[in-house]
Structures are given as C-alpha cells and as structure tokens.
Amino acid sequence: MSGLLRHLFAPRWQHPAPQVRRQAVARLDLSREEHRQALERLALDEDPGVRSEALARLDDPERLIALLGRGDAAAELTHRLLALLAGGSGNLELGARIALVERLDDEALLAELCLKGDNQQLRLAALARLESEEALIRQACDNGIAAVRHAAAARVESEAGLARLAQQARRDRQVMRGARERLNRLRADSAQLAAARERREGLLADLERHATAPWEPLYGGRFRHLEREWMALQDLPDATQERRYHDACLRCRKVISDHEAQLRASEAAEARREDAEQAREALVEVLEEGLEALGRSDVVTAQDIASLRAQKQLLAQRWQALSDQHLADQMLRQRYDAAREGFERISQAWVRLEERADELERALTDGDDDRLTALLGAIDWPRGLAPAPLLQRARQRLAQPDAPADEEDQTARLARFIADLDDLESLLERGAFKGASRLHQRLRQAADGLDDRLPQPQRARLRQLGARLAELRDWRSFVAGPKRDQLLQAIEALAEEASLVDAALDRRHRQLVKEWKALGDAAANREQSARFRAASNRIHERLAPWRERLDAERQTHLATRQALCDQLETLLEQPAEEADPDALREIRDRARDQWRRASPVPRDQAETIGRRFARIRHALQALIDQRARAVAETKRDLIEQVRALLGQAMPAARRAEAVKALQQRWRELGRAPRGEEQALWREFRGLCDQVFASREAERDDRARQARERQEAMQALIERLDAWHPAGSADEAVLASAIAEAAALEPLPGGRRTEGMRRRWSGIVRARRERLERLAVVEEVERWREVQPLLLAHLAADAERLAGGEPREVALPESPRLADDMRSAHARRNAARQAPETDEEVAERLARVRVHLSLLAVGSVSHRDDPLRLAIQVERLNENLGRELSRAEEVHGVLRELLATGPVAPALWSREVGELDRLLERLTRLPPP
C-alpha cells in the first residue's frame, strides 16, 4: 500500500514508465535548482530515450563533465559534450570552451574535439591534452586543419610512429615528408649510437684482451692509447661498460706494476751483484797486494807467512760467502785463482823449508856445500820472492859470502830500505799497528844486513819510527785494557745467558771472539785470556748439538748443490736443438735461487762446489747467449718476411692474417740478447702496424661501400613500399626489385640491417600476395567472359538429355580462348556424344565445387571430407615437380568445370549458386 502511495504522489520524472519520464523532461524548469538536479539524474537514466531528452535540455558543460563516468550514459554524455564544446550547439564563448577543454582527461572526447572543433585554437587546446601516440598519429593523418596536423605530427617521436606517419599521412605531404626526414634522422642517430656503442664494445674487448696479454715492451703505451681512445668517445657508457672498463684498467695497471716491481727487483739484484763484484775485486786486490808486499820485502819470516795465511783464510771465507750469493766474473775468477796459486806456491815452499830446516842448519855447520845445493833444489824457493833468513844464509854460503857485495846491489837495497821507511811512516800515521810492526821488524833485519853501509840519518829515522811504534803499542794497550775487561764480562754473561736461541748465541759469540782477536797482544795477560777461553769453551759445549744439526744441514745442502750441478751438467751435455732462451733463462734463475736456498755448506767443500757451479753457470750462460743470438737471427728473418708481405699485392686481410701468424711465431721464439730485443721489436712492431693500418683502411673502405649499399637498399625499400601493383603483369617489376636487392648483398650486420631485412621480406611478401590475388581476380574475370560459351553448352546439354540429337557448340570469335580451354571445350562437345551417368557428372561437379571451396574458403563441410582428401592427394601428386600458384589452380578448376558435361538443368541450378558465391569470394579474398 505504501509503495502504491509513493507512486501516486511521486513527481512525474520519477515515474516508473519511461514514456512518462520523457514527457516530464519537457516540463522541468532549468532555472530551478531542484529541476536541474532532476534533469541531471534523468541524464543518467536507464532508458536511452529519457537520457537523450534530458541531455538535450542540459547546456552546462561543467555539469556534464562532472557526470562523466557515472552510470550507463557515457556515449550520450560524450556526444552532448562534443556538441557543446565543438560549437555545434549551445552558445558558449570560445574562451570558455577552451578553458573547459584544458580540464578534460577523456582521450576519446579530446580526439573527437580535435577532429570536429569549430575553431583552430579549440582543436589545438584539445590536441595539447592528448597523450596517446596513437591519437596523435590519427590527428596528424585525418585532421582537417593543417596547423593541427603539423602540431600533432611534431609530437610523434617514436620510430614506429614516425614510420606510420610516413606511410599513412597521404593527406598532407608536408607531414609525410617531415615524418620521413625525422625518421631518417632518428634512424641515423640510432645507427650512430649503435656504431658508437659497437666502437666502445670493441675498445672494451681490446682492453680486456690487453689485460690478459703478457708483458711486452709497448704494453704500457698500448694501454695508454686504449685509455685515450676510450676518453675520446662522445657517448656515455652504461654501468656495465664502466665496471668492465675499470676492471680491465685495474688488471692492466697490475701487469704494469708487476713488471715495474720485477724491474726494480732486477735492478736491485743487479746492484747487489755489482756490489758483490766490487767487494770481490777489493778482496782480490788485497790478496794481490799482500803477495806483492811479500815479494818486495828483503826477508820472509814465519810471521809474514802466518799473517799471509790468516789473510788468505779470511779472504777465502768472504769470497765464498759472496760467491754463494752471486757468481764471480770469469776474469775476476782468474785473477783470484792466480793469487791463490801464488799463495799456494809460497805456502808449499815455506812448508818444504820448514821440513828441511834442520838439515840446512847441519849442512851450514858442517860446511857441506853439495848438501846445501841439493837441499836448495829440493826446497825449490819461488823466483822473485825474498828468501827466509836461513835460506839467505845458505845462499850466501854457496855464493862465497867473504867476497865483497856488488855496489849496484847495495845501492838497490839502500833505495828499497828508504822506500820502506816511507811506508812505515805512512802506516804509523794511519794507526795501522800490525802492518807497521811487521814492516819495522823487516827494516831492522835489513838494517842489520847493511851494517855500516847504512847512512846515519836513515838509522836515526828508523830509531824514531821505532819509538813511535812503541808509543802506538803503549797507546793500544792503554785503550785495549778497558775493552778487554768489557769483552771478558760480555762473554762470561753470554755463557750464562739461557734465553738466547742457538743461532743468536753463536752469532754473538763469534762477534765477541772477533773483537777479542782484533785487539791482538795489546794489554794482554794470561788470566784474562784463560777466563775468556774458558767462557768460550762453555759456549762451544752448549752449541755442540746445534752445530751437529747445522753440519747435517750443510751436508744436505751440499748434496742438493751436487745434485743441482749434476742436472745442469746433464742439460749442458745434451742441449735441445731448439732450446728456448727464455726457458734456459728460467732454468738459470731457478738454479740460482735453489743454489742460494741450499746454503750454507761445509767450508772445506764450499770453494770446490762453488767453482763447479760457476763453470756450469758460465757454460749455461754461453748456451743462452748462443740461443739468443739464433733467436735474434730468426727474428730478423721474420722482419724481412713482414717487409716482403708489405711489397706483395694481396688482400689486406690475408696479409694481416699472415702477419698474425708471424707475431705468434715471434712470441714463441723467446727473447733475443739484451739490447737487441728492444730494437728488433720496435722495427717488427712498426712494420706490423703498417700492415694493420692498411687492413683498417681496407675495412673502412668496405664499411663505406656497405653503408652505401645499405642506403641504396633503404631507398629500394621505400620505393617498393610506395609501389602497389595494378595487375599480375607487374610481377616483372617485383622480380626486378628482388634482383636489385640481391645485387646489393651482402649488407653490413646490425640492428638496422635486420630491421631492413624484416621490412623488405614483409613488403615482398605483401606484394607477391597482392599479385597472386590480382592474378586470381583476372582469371575469374576471364572466366566470366566465357559465360556465353558455358551457357551455350548448358543449352546443348539440356537438349541432349531431353532426348535430342547431340549438338556441337561452336567456339566464339571473341574472346579468344587459351589452348587448354579449347581442349576443355572439345571435351565438352565430345561428352555429349557418349554422355556419362548423372551420378558421375554430379560427382565431377561436386569435386569442382569442393576444390573451389578449398581455394576460396580453405575448408569444406563434413559431408565433403572424402572429396577434400582425394583432391588434396591429387594436388600433392601433381605438385611434386612444381607447386602451382592459386591462379593456376583456379584456372585448372574452371577448365574442368567447362569440360564437365552433359549437365542436367536441375543439377546445374542446384550447384550454380554455390559456384558463383565461391567465385565471388575468390575476387575479394584478403591476403592470407
């Protein structure tokens, strides 16, 4: 009851009947706000008629814009807004409409306003609110105002959008031309960007290969060149390229730093070797000076021999220590061996003299000259060496000492005595006590031998120098006393020290003993010497187990050195024919390192094994030098081969490949002698750079030609894209374009070429399909021209089937039929002479219909599946040699239709409609 009352007293615009609501729309007063609200509600009514009536009364676009998107009235609202804003209805001013358009967000409404607005500014305002590129392309192609078209085209920026504008904007050639120009610029920019990226990728690949390459003289220069090339590129790298670049640079810098560290280590080793050479040379000079000083003396005493032995022992130890680190030069080794041999001759002569000293004394006492002569011959005292006192007495005995001395000999002895006095004074000034003491003793003996022939001034000078020597001795004793006390306390404390390791204890003990011995006899006393010796013995007892282990280790090191020498001697006895000097250098360096690690060795065998290793190393170095010279000759041959390649007429790429093989051969050869390797490499690298420069020039030329072919291909694509065949006879134009495209191959690789190939394939496929469709249409048109002949045959068939005589249908004069159609016409006339059964003719017509259905529609009904299968088998069998085109198949089906007969009128009337429909479908068949 309440619902009924609501309906009775409700306003008419809320009536449930749509007709009543439509009538109520006209009665609403727009000046009243409630009526306007009612109209807005009716504008969203469920009935389209009511909505249309209500929207026709509303003329406020702002209220309509607020209603957009509500209810089911979107289409009517959009249409009404379009009419109001476009100026088709209403009386809104242009400025108000433009302001409203600038607030719209509906893409479809804005697009329609662009097309249908009554003012250019209004359309431009709507265009400014459009964001979709699809809508912009539509405005650029279809808008009726040129300014709007140009503004819309200016906002299309994508490559696909510009391509569509270039193809579809046929209404405005300026838009089409501008789109094509911008598209070409965009593609050129893309190609340039791709080329820059490809260049950057190539530089990255070169830099990464360089980072894994071994060191060569121009490694750093090549790395800096690649860095400059990278920095010179205009485009910005991405994060991945930047990371790869920094990683490769770090690896290259590590190779350079490793080489520099190796070079510094080599320089340090060379400096150490030079220091060792200088130290060895100083040792040899000291030994030679000692021998020379001994040879200048008038008399050789036991003290001189003992001093020379001690000096030789110290020098030999130092020489061996230096030789363990660095091998001596051959000439320096020869000098050292000569000095050692001289010492050995003197030492052995002194031993022979000591062995026969008692016999010489007895022979001198007995006056047995024959015995003296035999003993002097057995002693074999070296020539040029001053004799010992006992030997001098024996010689004087044999030389008749009672005879006066030769005046010249006395003069020479006196001159030598004066020179020795000068040397003694120099030694005293330097504070060299030991040398001065030995020389003073020798001068005293020489003064006794000269007796009264020695001038008084020289004798007085000898006494003065002797006093200075005694003063120096007293001063040494005064200074050495506290030093001896200090050394004694230090060695006794060291003997009690239990925390030191054995090596440190031995090193400290040796240092204290050396300093004690260096004091000589200065401030010496028995008690201190005994205490020092006792403390030293305790340390020796404590170090005995450690020294035993050290001796065992020395024996192991000796065995290692002997085995190393055996291996190297075996290598030197049978060297390889093509021994790599770098491998030999590595063997040399490793042998040197192994020799250094196998240290120390027993002292009595250190010199022998050291000499053996020195000879082996010199022989190995000679072999290395020999192989290095052979490598240098081979590398010179390689340089000549590269120079010959430069003079030959051959492709640059083939020449570069040959040079790469020669470079690989260069790397396999190893290094030439130092100094030659750098010069050879610079010459070889310069020639190789010329070869690669010519290859790069040829590549640039090929790239230029490829770009020209690419541009020609682009022009061909544009030309073929703009060409549309008008008939099947235009197939020659397509074949010519395909031949022209084949002549432009090969095209350079890249995204642009791939895009061009895809576009070319699509265009060629579309044009072939259009030509095929045109050929089918032409074939159907020719069939329609044959319709009078077919109707004549149908009439003759009807007469024959009605019982009349068979009648031949004559060929028309126009149109002129092809030979196969003439043959089909003859077969149709012959078929009326001996007609087939109705079932056979019906089956043949059904086959024609099914075949046409396959060509036109692509499918048939289920009842015709057996015929479809049979036709498809026949098509496969007939197309084994060559696949027929669609037009040829249509021609064959129509030929079979002309030859099929006689056809009853009822059968033909049943099939002709479907046949006509299929033929009509063939003429409007879209491209597959």
Side-chain angles (χ1 to χ4, degrees), residues 172-225:
D172 193 331
R173 292 187 178 276
Q174 183 177 352
V175 171
M176 180 184 295
R177 184 169 58 255
R180 185 174 291 113
E181 291 175 355
R182 292 170 58 197
L183 178 62
N184 291 335
R185 285 198 302 270
L186 182 62
R187 288 174 177 174
D189 293 341
S190 301
Q192 185 177 3
L193 184 62
R197 182 175 180 83
E198 184 178 355
R199 174 62 178 162
R200 192 174 289 278
E201 286 291 334
L203 278 177
L204 270 178
D206 293 342
L207 190 59
E208 288 171 343
R209 282 195 301 271
H210 192 62
T212 58
W215 171 262
E216 59 179 3
L218 298 179
Y219 189 94
R222 178 64 174 165
F223 171 60
R224 289 188 293 273
H225 171 72

Side-chain angles (χ1 to χ4, degrees), residues 524-540:
N525 60 71
R526 292 179 180 272
E527 181 183 358
Q528 287 181 335
S529 299
R531 287 173 59 189
F532 189 89
R533 191 178 302 108
S536 178
N537 290 335
R538 290 199 304 274
I539 293 175
H540 278 298

Side-chain angles (χ1 to χ4, degrees), residues 96-240:
R97 284 187 287 154
I98 292 176
L100 290 172
V101 168
E102 291 175 349
R103 292 165 46 193
L104 288 177
D105 293 325
D106 191 335
E107 287 276 337
L109 179 58
L110 289 170
E112 291 299 323
L113 283 172
C114 281
L115 291 173
K116 299 177 180 179
D118 63 343
N119 185 273
Q120 177 177 320
Q121 294 182 3
L122 179 68
R123 293 193 183 190
L124 290 175
L127 180 68
R129 300 289 295 171
L130 287 177
E131 298 294 337
S132 172
E133 188 174 69
E134 183 70 26
L136 293 174
I137 293 174
R138 180 188 175 194
Q139 299 299 326
C141 294
D142 300 335
N143 203 288
I145 299 178
V148 179
R149 290 197 301 271
H150 297 167
R155 292 178 58 189
V156 178
E157 297 179 353
S158 69
E159 183 176 353
L162 292 174
R164 288 183 57 189
L165 275 182
Q167 293 179 359
Q168 299 176 7
R170 294 185 175 87
R171 183 172 183 173
D172 193 331
R173 292 187 178 276
Q174 183 177 352
V175 171
M176 180 184 295
R177 184 169 58 255
R180 185 174 291 113
E181 291 175 355
R182 292 170 58 197
L183 178 62
N184 291 335
R185 285 198 302 270
L186 182 62
R187 288 174 177 174
D189 293 341
S190 301
Q192 185 177 3
L193 184 62
R197 182 175 180 83
E198 184 178 355
R199 174 62 178 162
R200 192 174 289 278
E201 286 291 334
L203 278 177
L204 270 178
D206 293 342
L207 190 59
E208 288 171 343
R209 282 195 301 271
H210 192 62
T212 58
W215 171 262
E216 59 179 3
L218 298 179
Y219 189 94
R222 178 64 174 165
F223 171 60
R224 289 188 293 273
H225 171 72
L226 292 175
E227 274 189 321
R228 288 193 298 270
E229 289 289 327
W230 177 273
M231 295 301 178
L233 294 179
Q234 299 297 328
D235 63 314
L236 295 177
D238 55 27
T240 303

Side-chain angles (χ1 to χ4, degrees), residues 7-173:
H7 287 311
L8 290 174
F9 294 101
R12 293 180 63 80
W13 61 270
Q14 293 182 349
H15 198 277
Q19 298 84 357
V20 177
R21 293 198 301 274
R22 281 199 301 271
Q23 294 172 2
V25 169
R27 300 178 181 179
L28 292 175
D29 187 4
L30 290 177
S31 61
R32 299 173 59 182
E33 182 63 26
E34 62 272 16
H35 285 191
R36 180 176 291 277
Q37 294 178 358
L39 275 175
E40 291 177 359
R41 293 183 60 183
L42 290 175
L44 302 176
D45 196 89
E46 60 184 8
D47 185 69
V50 176
R51 292 198 300 268
S52 299
E53 291 290 338
L55 288 171
R57 296 286 311 278
L58 292 173
D59 56 359
D60 187 356
E62 291 190 7
R63 306 295 291 269
L64 293 178
I65 292 173
L67 295 177
L68 277 176
R70 296 167 54 186
D72 299 330
E76 290 84 352
L77 275 172
T78 302
H79 182 73
R80 180 57 178 168
L81 272 174
L82 179 62
L84 291 173
L85 295 176
S89 63
N91 54 1
L92 283 177
E93 295 181 357
L94 177 62
R97 284 187 287 154
I98 292 176
L100 290 172
V101 168
E102 291 175 349
R103 292 165 46 193
L104 288 177
D105 293 325
D106 191 335
E107 287 276 337
L109 179 58
L110 289 170
E112 291 299 323
L113 283 172
C114 281
L115 291 173
K116 299 177 180 179
D118 63 343
N119 185 273
Q120 177 177 320
Q121 294 182 3
L122 179 68
R123 293 193 183 190
L124 290 175
L127 180 68
R129 300 289 295 171
L130 287 177
E131 298 294 337
S132 172
E133 188 174 69
E134 183 70 26
L136 293 174
I137 293 174
R138 180 188 175 194
Q139 299 299 326
C141 294
D142 300 335
N143 203 288
I145 299 178
V148 179
R149 290 197 301 271
H150 297 167
R155 292 178 58 189
V156 178
E157 297 179 353
S158 69
E159 183 176 353
L162 292 174
R164 288 183 57 189
L165 275 182
Q167 293 179 359
Q168 299 176 7
R170 294 185 175 87
R171 183 172 183 173
D172 193 331
R173 292 187 178 276

Side-chain angles (χ1 to χ4, degrees), residues 494 500-510 536-551:
L494 184 63
L500 286 178
V501 295
D502 294 338
L505 178 62
D506 180 69
R507 185 167 55 253
R508 180 59 178 159
H509 174 250
R510 288 177 181 274
S536 178
N537 290 335
R538 290 199 304 274
I539 293 175
H540 278 298
E541 291 175 0
R542 179 178 168 184
L543 292 175
W546 175 75
R547 285 194 172 127
E548 290 178 358
R549 293 195 303 271
L550 188 60
D551 291 340

